[in-house]
Amino acid sequence: MAATRLELNLMRLLSRCEALAAERRDPEEWRLEKYVAALEDMLRELKKQSSKPAPELLNEYSRKVDFLKGLLEAEKLSSSTEKALANQFLTPGRTPTTTKERTPATKTVHLQTKARCTGKMRSELLGTVCFGAAASLLLLYRLSPVAFSCLRGLASDEKQSAVELDAVLQHHQDMQEKLAEEMLSLARSLKNNTLAAQNVIKQDNQTLSHSLRMADQNFEKLKDESDRLEQHAKKSVNWLLWIMLIVVCFIFISMILFIRIFPKLK
């Protein structure tokens, strides 16, 4: 079914909102919030139309609009920790909005926002810790250079451990995304199998209905033929009875004439 004018406008505005969300915006930027509010109104009107798109497509539109709305609400939070936690619960779209996109733009925006929030959290954490750590290290260097060199070795080990931890976290995230894609593929395969089984059952029901209809027609025809045969049998019996009566009467009259014509011999 061809897309309506309202759906085309919704897709254009959604693509524009995704492009704005991917950019670095000023805190005073107001366009994206207004665009998302307009998207909600357009989506509400699209659901009320008689020629609305498929339910899967409507759910995809709703998912993307909810993602943009949640992204705006997360940006209004004060701390980076709250922003990162709010971004973890956001669900990006699963399909591209336009044919030019190879991957969904909302997924790219989600990854960029997570990376940005993680970077801010690290910078805040390092900025808070480094000031106190610098004073402690300076004091330790003045008191004991040997202890300071040992502490430097420990710091390098901790840095390497942090890198390994990031690699492990990235590996787990990749595994989770792969598992989600496999689950989505299995769900899509199950849906296709269900639709195929539904079509087969529908065809079997149509065949059974046709067979029952033909059986009813054959029964009606058999009933009509039985009635005709019964009437024909009744007619044949009537004619045979009349013929037998005529034959008996003829024989009776013939016997009387025979007796009259040929008298008894003396």
Side-chain angles (χ1 to χ4, degrees):
M1 184 176 63
T4 60
R5 186 178 184 85
L6 181 60
E7 186 179 358
L8 292 175
N9 292 335
L10 176 67
M11 292 172 62
R12 294 193 188 100
L13 186 57
L14 184 59
S15 177
R16 177 59 179 163
C17 290
E18 290 172 349
L20 284 176
E23 299 174 357
R24 288 185 176 273
R25 302 182 308 279
D26 296 331
E28 298 178 356
E29 177 65 39
W30 54 270
R31 290 182 299 171
L32 183 58
E33 187 173 358
K34 297 295 183 182
Y35 289 169
V36 172
L39 278 176
E40 290 181 342
D41 296 336
M42 294 171 70
L43 183 60
R44 199 177 300 114
E45 292 295 329
L46 185 62
K47 290 181 179 179
K48 294 179 181 178
Q49 285 188 348
S50 58
S51 59
K52 57 184 178 182
E56 293 84 1
L57 196 56
L58 279 176
N59 291 335
E60 184 66 17
Y61 290 153
S62 301
R63 189 181 294 110
K64 291 180 180 180
V65 173
D66 292 340
F67 170 78
L68 293 172
K69 185 178 178 181
L71 186 66
L72 289 174
E73 292 177 355
E75 289 179 353
K76 295 178 181 179
L77 298 175
S78 57
S79 65
S80 300
T81 306
E82 293 177 351
K83 290 181 180 179
L85 184 61
N87 276 292
Q88 289 292 334
F89 292 101
L90 295 179
T91 305
R94 298 175 182 173
T95 57
T97 305
T98 60
T99 56
K100 297 180 181 180
E101 299 176 3
R102 298 185 62 182
T103 57
T106 50
K107 188 174 183 180
T108 305
V109 173
H110 192 211
L111 294 176
Q112 291 177 353
T113 308
K114 287 172 63 176
R116 197 178 300 131
C117 292
T118 305
K120 287 183 179 179
M121 287 177 59
R122 285 183 178 178
S123 62
E124 289 179 0
L125 182 61
L126 292 175
T128 305
V129 173
C130 285
F131 180 76
S136 301
L137 288 174
L138 181 60
L139 180 61
L140 182 64
Y141 179 73
R142 289 179 179 178
L143 294 176
S144 176
V146 177
F148 179 76
S149 62
C150 294
L151 188 61
R152 286 181 61 185
L154 291 174
S156 62
D157 293 338
E158 290 180 357
K159 185 177 180 181
Q160 185 177 1
S161 300
V163 172
E164 293 177 355
L165 180 61
D166 290 339
V168 171
L169 291 176
Q170 184 65 34
H171 176 68
H172 283 291
Q173 185 176 359
D174 294 339
M175 291 293 292
Q176 289 178 357
E177 291 180 356
K178 185 177 179 180
L179 182 61
E181 291 178 357
E182 290 179 355
M183 291 178 64
L184 182 61
S185 177
L186 290 175
R188 191 179 295 111
S189 177
L190 180 61
K191 179 182 176 182
N192 293 332
N193 293 334
T194 305
L195 291 177
Q198 184 178 0
N199 292 331
V200 171
I201 293 172
K202 186 176 180 181
Q203 291 177 0
D204 291 341
N205 290 333
Q206 291 178 354
T207 305
L208 182 60
S209 300
H210 181 68
S211 301
L212 291 175
R213 198 180 306 113
M214 293 296 295
D216 292 338
Q217 293 177 0
N218 293 334
F219 179 76
E220 293 294 333
K221 290 181 180 179
L222 182 61
K223 186 178 179 181
D224 294 340
E225 293 296 331
S226 299
D227 294 339
R228 289 177 59 188
L229 183 60
E230 185 178 357
Q231 292 176 3
H232 183 68
K234 288 181 180 179
K235 289 180 181 179
S236 346
V237 171
N238 291 335
W239 280 106
L240 184 61
L241 181 62
W242 282 106
I243 290 171
M244 291 179 65
L245 287 175
I246 292 171
V247 170
V248 170
C249 292
F250 178 74
I251 293 172
F252 180 73
I253 295 171
S254 299
M255 288 297 296
I256 293 174
L257 291 176
F258 182 77
I259 292 171
R260 291 288 185 184
I261 295 172
F262 300 99
K264 185 178 179 182
L265 295 178
K266 293 181 180 180

